[in-house]
Amino acid sequence: MKNIPKILLRTYFRQHPANIRLARFNFLARYSWLQNLLEDLRPELFPSELEPEVEEPPVDEREAEAAAQLIDAQVRGRQGLYQVESWIGRRGQGNLFNAVWLGAQQPVVLKEFLLPGRSFNPTEARQRQQKFVNLAGLGRTDGRSQDLRVIPTLDAIADTYSAERCYLITDVRDAAPTLRQQLRQMGPLHAIAVRQVLEQVLQTLLHLHQQATLLPSGQRQFGMVHGNLSLDSLLWVSSAPNQGFVYLADLALWERLFDPPTATPHSVDVTAATVSQDLTALGRIGYALLTGQETLPTNDLTELDIPKTDPYLANFIERLLTPNAFISAEVAWRELLLLPTLTLAELEPVTPTVETETQRRVPRWLLVLAGLLALTALGTLLWRFLWREQAPAGQMPQVCCFEEVGAVPTGEYTYTAIVQGTWNYVLAQRNLGQRGQTLESAIQLAQPELILNYVPAASVADTLIAVQTGAAEFAVMPRFPDLALPSDLGAEVVAYDGLAVLVPFSYAERQRGLPQALQGELTLQELNDIYVGKVDTWNDLSRNFLGIKRYGAESLETVRMFEQTVIDPLSIDRLPALELQPTFPMLRSILQDFETQNLGSIGIAPLSQVFGQCSVYPLALAAEREPTVQPLILNTGEPITPAIDLCDRKGVYFPDPEALQSGTYPLAYEIIVVFPQDNSRVPVGQKFIEMLRTTEGQQLLREAGLVPLNGVTP
């Protein structure tokens, strides 16, 4: 009986070709209870000519010597001084180092790029240094930060003492393992995990390809291709236990600057890169993750053998590999989300085609038993490590219902949110999903052994302190522009919301109303001028002569978000009197001011709380030099206009999911769950996130007024 485990392992390994067998061997060797068995099998599975190690590419001795010179050195950039501590390794066109930003005492990653004299003359080197400083880094044109899962640049430095060096400063996520390293360690991923990786990368690409970007030089560019997608430029960033994300690094925009002039005719002309090339590169990545083969064995797609364990995924990868099969990353992303999903039980196992000598010696009944046990063990491992650990918190929920979320902690736990804020409103909504049901009661019904007690906090600081100290297990809150989470806290997005700018709406008197006079829109600068008192009558902005009265929803969240996204910081202390009221009384006041006092009042409130009413009109807004965006759209996809009778069209207009999710609506923001990054604490917050990201959770949040992650209107 004691030989049965060895027989099972031997049979399992012999089902795989040598390269996959090696990856599986290394993966299972992490378990101490298997190590003795594996060592016994090593000589049989790996003959002397194949050592179970991955051969690393040769190191250029001159580059290694140059990298060693940087250890313990200090590099000065625009943001301060950086102390180099240790070498991490080489990736792409440069060497990665652990470093410390001395001014902030913050750990960072420094990437050193070389422009060696043997490849670049001094003039070429200086020109590329200048281009690097002007191009290395992407920002939003409205100045807000948004995590698109692209490694952010903190500083880009051209060495002033030598034309041969440039440095890129990034945060510590840039030191995360690449997908190539993950693939070599763990072997091919399960089809479910490959879907999740493709989904995340496509979602990042669609924003990168479509969003207006601000380069360090101040140049604005609409749409940006990555141009350098590979297993090495995709990083696996663990955000919390059992959670992680795929981040994009090493954009061609600056990486290709360090290609030698003789490498390719136009190696530094990244404008030649296209959306189609990004998608084709992602197809190669998907093939590698699914098969374990890091390069395509052939460029002829008709001869390419993609495993059909998940035929829908195999067909999708083949289409990615076909140039111009998708017109955009968004089209590919949406098609991926619509692919039929298969459970682990439905996924077709790969059947070996050649019977080995070992199999002929073992009785058939034992082989059947061994196969069943091996498949069961493999399925368990895949579920635990390729689904549980690698399943990213993507934008499209993959689990149906609250009750299908596994390993939910039992017991009673406290969580928090800011008093009178968005989450308080969500919890107060009834008839979600069915008559009389609230979000809390739906969770309680599905997970009866989990009891969540909501205790509001008085401020943002109090909310974070409660999670840090253990007074609360997690918190739900907006991601404020100035929100800097302590290093021991993590956060994940569960939905979207935004601030609505409201003026009175009366369809019967629309000709003299503000929506018509303003043509339904304002700029953020005009909104700032109104609330800081520079504009007191609407005649300054339109042909309407009504006076202005300023309102705001009585919510710390609303006021703080408004001040940080609209008001000039120099004017914060000089704001005129602002009347704060609960949201719905404020809406009545705005309409009554118009009808009885001949005032054109204006108010600010969360979009989630006001989009279904018709006493006020939410104005479209425009950030500086950006197009105007209306936050509400009809079920046809068209934005609402002042000519539409909102009272007559109730139920056919909703928040625009794309505008809020992408941030093109300038007052959009994320709703996040903040949790402790501490393995010693019960992961209640992470499980709460999983539940809110199920199909059921997202639907209930949508019914409560928030915009779900999958960006789909009702």
Side-chain angles (χ1 to χ4, degrees), residues 272-289:
T274 65
V275 169
S276 179
Q277 289 172 349
D278 272 357
L279 298 181
T280 302
L282 183 58
R284 296 192 190 97
I285 293 166
Y287 176 84
L289 296 178

Side-chain angles (χ1 to χ4, degrees), residues 290-511:
L290 191 62
T291 64
Q293 300 183 46
E294 296 180 15
T295 58
L296 289 180
T298 175
N299 290 325
D300 187 348
L301 296 183
T302 62
E303 297 181 1
L304 193 62
D305 184 20
I306 303 178
K308 296 299 190 293
T309 51
D310 183 342
Y312 306 106
L313 176 62
N315 179 260
F316 182 78
I317 291 175
E318 186 172 332
R319 293 192 63 202
L320 281 177
L321 289 168
T322 304
N324 301 310
F326 296 103
I327 62 173
S328 69
E330 181 175 8
V331 170
W333 176 67
R334 294 189 183 280
E335 183 165 318
L336 177 61
L337 297 183
L338 294 174
L339 290 184
T341 55
L342 301 177
T343 65
L344 284 173
E346 293 171 325
L347 289 170
E348 186 179 313
V350 178
T351 305
T353 57
V354 180
E355 191 177 27
T356 65
E357 181 181 351
T358 303
Q359 289 173 320
R360 288 196 296 269
R361 291 199 305 263
V362 180
R364 183 170 295 277
W365 67 268
L366 187 55
L367 280 177
V368 173
L369 175 62
L372 289 174
L373 292 175
L375 286 173
T376 301
L378 177 60
T380 302
L381 288 173
L382 285 170
W383 173 255
R384 290 183 59 192
F385 296 100
L386 299 184
W387 174 249
R388 291 287 184 180
E389 289 188 5
Q390 297 202 36
Q395 300 298 315
M396 182 67 179
Q398 296 296 312
V399 180
C400 163
C401 314
F402 290 152
E403 63 184 7
E404 290 187 7
V405 176
V408 174
T410 60
E412 190 169 345
Y413 302 93
T414 297
Y415 75 105
T416 189
I418 302 170
V419 65
Q420 295 182 341
T422 299
W423 196 247
N424 190 73
Y425 175 81
V426 168
L427 294 181
Q429 300 310 296
R430 305 188 67 83
N431 303 320
L432 301 181
Q434 60 185 11
R435 185 176 180 82
Q437 180 174 262
T438 65
L439 180 64
E440 285 185 321
S441 66
I443 294 175
Q444 184 67 51
L445 182 65
Q447 300 285 351
E449 296 183 359
L450 172 67
I451 301 174
L452 296 175
N453 296 320
Y454 169 59
V455 178
S459 67
V460 175
D462 290 346
T463 302
L464 299 180
I465 290 172
V467 180
Q468 282 185 293
T469 60
E473 295 299 330
F474 61 90
V476 188
M477 62 191 300
R479 192 191 294 275
F480 298 100
D482 70 340
L483 182 63
L485 291 178
S487 60
D488 57 345
L489 297 182
E492 302 296 350
V493 183
V494 294
Y496 299 88
D497 202 355
L499 293 183
V501 178
L502 311 166
V503 293
F505 179 79
S506 174
Y507 189 75
E509 300 183 59
R510 65 185 185 280
Q511 296 303 326

Side-chain angles (χ1 to χ4, degrees), residues 81-96:
L81 197 62
Y82 306 94
Q83 175 75 47
V84 182
E85 294 191 332
S86 61
W87 182 64
I88 299 172
R90 183 170 181 81
R91 192 186 73 219
Q93 293 289 70
N95 288 295
L96 297 175

